[in-house]
Amino acid sequence: MEEIVEVLVDILLTGPEYQAFCKCKKCRNDVIALSLNSLSPQYATTQENRQSIYENYNQPNMRNWVNKRIISSLHIVNKYPQHKK
Ligand SMILES: [Zn+2]
């Protein structure tokens, strides 16, 4: 889950919609942590297991759902950054 969220956060942050958002390491990590808190962890113990989790999250409705969680985290971190401007 963590790996999936990290990749999606990076994709979103490089997109045109989030140009104004702070992209420092602290904010990026805060977004990832906040997103992970609102998502259930998916632990994989085997390569096979891992593959099936990836496939599950690659479906459009799942991706949409995860993206929504990340976008709401982006807005929260942007509004209340944990560092001085
Ligand atoms: Zn920042």
Side-chain angles (χ1 to χ4, degrees):
M1 200 63 219
E2 201 172 331
E3 293 167 48
I4 296 169
V5 169
E6 277 185 34
V7 170
L8 291 175
V9 166
D10 287 341
I11 292 170
L12 283 171
L13 280 176
T14 55
E17 290 164 72
Y18 302 98
Q19 286 300 303
F21 284 57
C22 181
K23 293 168 186 67
C24 76
K25 218 171 175 176
K26 172 82 182 122
C27 289
R28 176 185 174 270
N29 287 338
D30 284 346
V31 170
I32 291 167
L34 207 59
S35 305
L36 286 171
N37 283 341
S38 62
L39 294 160
S40 66
Q42 302 286 331
Y43 296 109
T45 49
T46 63
Q47 196 56 41
E48 215 171 86
N49 216 317
R50 197 189 165 83
Q51 193 57 37
S52 78
I53 292 171
Y54 264 108
E55 274 161 24
N56 188 20
Y57 279 96
N58 250 329
Q59 288 170 54
N61 56 334
M62 282 306 276
R63 277 188 83 110
N64 254 331
W65 183 78
V66 174
N67 264 319
K68 272 190 190 137
R69 302 268 84 75
I70 296 173
I71 288 164
S72 79
S73 304
L74 273 169
H75 284 278
I76 294 166
V77 172
N78 189 57
K79 206 166 175 189
Y80 308 103
Q82 298 296 306
H83 60 70
K84 297 186 175 69
K85 290 261 172 192

